[in-house]
Amino acid sequence: APVPGASSGRWKMWGDSTTHIKLSRPQSDQYVTPSLGFNVLSAHEKSMAFPHLTETIVIPNLAAPKTERGALPCLALKCESTVMQAKLCTIGTHAEAAAVLVCLTTTGVQLWEPLQGKKLASVAIPESDPSLSPAERQSFCKGAVIIPRAEGKHSLIVGTSAGQLHALEADNFRFVYDTKLEGYAHSYPISDVSSSHEASYLEQALPPQCTFATACEGGVICVWDASLLNPVAEMRAPGECITAVRLRANLCIASTVLGKIFIFNVDSRAIIADIQAHARACAAIAIHPLNLVIASVSEDTHWVVWNLDRVEKQEIEAIASGTVKDKMLCGVSFTGERGKDLHLAAFDSEYIFHLEGDPVPG
């Protein structure tokens, strides 16, 4: 159900007047660009992060003064191997949460304090089948979320290209491998992991109990109880390869390589909406921190903001849309006060694109 007092608001775009934010390495004139992938952009408060080959690029403060060349300074965190995905998560109560940057690579997981660029831990993920040859068991990590558990504890859930899910125990800023999740097995590589308590969501939008969703390239989504690490629901998008998954209340929202957005009712496991959103792969989706509004971006250069307030009645409204000419969009995040703005990332672009919106009521 919509959050009381919340409103969809409006998002505006003024064509070429969209703000282009150029990024540069510290003490250098070299610019940085996002890697080609899905869900490459992650945001929390005024910080953002995205993968760049074997590095993770962090923008500690979107409001920081620009350099003499007009670029926004950022950190380039060197990882041990190719970074498949970078995600800003939090540990602690929602009101007093501390940010943690999770870098998912071809060799394991690396964790950083994002504002200062301090490395916290590097954790190897067990091989899927040690009896296989090195080439056959080559895998990578993809999809991660930190979830609250019982007695104030937290776990970091990590997906792999072998379709497995692993839990790391998070004790303050110490991360120790805990267990491989049992009870459900994906048959295809994990494409994304998300929870009902994402770091970017405002507290008013959080349900009492935390759940998380795991999606794979075979079109299957599993929703889990965060406290017990037990699967509670399975949903399928037949013939689809899922690129991203998000949770809000009893809804599960997934995007696909064929440019579609599926919306499921978790309680009934049924598809309640199927949107042909884009002409090419829907590379990323984001849920507004407060409202039942999502944004999608695609390799077809287009972005769209969708109002899902009446989705249970199969009434879906595209309330804003636009294009970034000649750019394969691969990341999107709601930013600004109460999520009034959008930031977009594009493959091989030295700019992050900022779309300013109206203030969000409530």
Side-chain angles (χ1 to χ4, degrees):
V3 177
S7 170
S8 299
R10 298 195 312 277
W11 282 264
K12 302 177 297 188
M13 186 176 183
W14 297 275
D16 293 336
S17 65
T18 302
T19 305
H20 293 45
I21 304 174
K22 185 172 283 192
L23 308 175
S24 70
R25 297 174 182 272
Q27 279 76 51
S28 170
D29 291 333
Q30 291 184 321
Y31 299 116
V32 290
T33 63
S35 299
L36 180 61
F38 300 132
N39 297 301
V40 302
L41 192 63
S42 179
H44 173 60
E45 295 182 344
K46 295 181 179 180
S47 302
M48 300 182 77
F50 60 82
H52 171 73
L53 302 177
T54 58
E55 297 175 321
T56 296
I57 306 303
V58 179
I59 308 167
N61 185 358
L62 286 165
K66 292 183 172 59
T67 66
E68 293 180 358
R69 293 179 176 267
L72 192 64
C74 57
L75 303 176
L77 308 181
K78 184 67 176 176
C79 297
E80 296 170 359
S81 59
T82 301
V83 181
M84 306 302 296
Q85 194 175 29
K87 187 169 183 180
L88 288 163
C89 301
T90 55
I91 293 180
T93 62
H94 208 76
E96 300 177 354
V100 176
L101 174 64
V102 182
C103 300
L104 305 161
T105 74
T106 54
T107 55
V109 182
Q110 293 181 44
L111 301 117
W112 302 74
E113 190 288 317
L115 300 183
Q116 303 298 324
K118 178 183 177 183
K119 190 172 182 180
L120 302 173
S122 181
V123 182
I125 300 299
E127 296 172 346
S128 56
D129 186 350
S131 66
L132 298 176
S133 69
E136 291 174 316
R137 65 174 183 257
Q138 179 68 38
S139 64
F140 55 82
C141 296
K142 186 75 178 292
V145 70
I146 293 179
I147 54 171
R149 302 285 305 281
E151 300 176 354
K153 296 182 179 179
H154 292 76
S155 289
L156 169 61
I157 307 299
V158 176
T160 73
S161 57
Q164 297 178 347
L165 295 157
H166 300 268
L168 282 67
E169 183 179 342
D171 181 8
N172 197 6
F173 286 102
R174 290 184 63 252
F175 292 84
V176 180
Y177 183 82
D178 184 11
T179 185
K180 176 183 148 185
L181 270 59
E182 304 290 349
Y184 187 87
H186 285 277
S187 301
Y188 291 83
I190 301 296
S191 53
D192 198 21
V193 179
S194 184
S195 88
S196 60
H197 286 55
E198 289 286 339
S200 60
Y201 299 169
L202 294 179
E203 194 165 9
Q204 302 98 301
L206 303 183
Q209 303 298 321
C210 179
T211 56
F212 66 95
T214 58
C216 75
E217 295 179 5
V220 180
I221 301 168
C222 183
V223 177
W224 302 70
D225 180 297
S227 60
L228 301 175
L229 299 184
N230 285 339
V232 295
E234 179 196 278
M235 293 156 291
R236 294 176 177 268
E240 298 284 346
C241 174
I242 295 174
T243 58
V245 65
R246 297 291 182 268
L247 288 173
R248 174 61 57 84
N250 68 332
L251 299 180
C252 179
I253 303 159
S255 58
T256 76
V257 165
L258 297 181
K260 293 182 179 180
I261 297 175
F262 287 87
I263 304 173
F264 299 85
N265 182 301
V266 176
D267 298 329
S268 66
R269 282 70 160 168
I271 297 174
I272 58 175
D274 173 358
I275 311 169
Q276 185 60 61
H278 295 279
R280 296 184 64 180
C282 184
I285 53 176
I287 297 186
H288 189 270
L290 180 61
N291 301 311
L292 196 50
V293 169
I294 65 171
S296 63
V297 297
S298 171
E299 295 175 356
D300 65 8
T301 75
H302 288 82
W303 60 269
V304 186
V305 179
W306 309 87
N307 180 7
L308 305 183
D309 276 348
R310 299 173 64 84
V311 68
E312 294 284 359
K313 297 182 179 180
Q314 297 187 330
E315 296 179 14
I316 299 169
E317 179 187 11
I319 57 178
S321 63
T323 184
V324 182
K325 186 178 179 181
D326 299 330
K327 297 298 181 183
M328 296 173 62
L329 299 177
C330 54
V332 59
S333 289
F334 285 98
T335 54
E337 185 178 0
R338 302 174 68 82
K340 75 180 185 69
D341 300 339
L342 279 175
H343 277 83
L344 314 176
F347 167 61
D348 201 29
S349 171
E350 61 191 29
Y351 297 99
I352 296 291
F353 303 95
H354 176 208
L355 284 65
E356 185 178 1
D358 295 335
V360 179

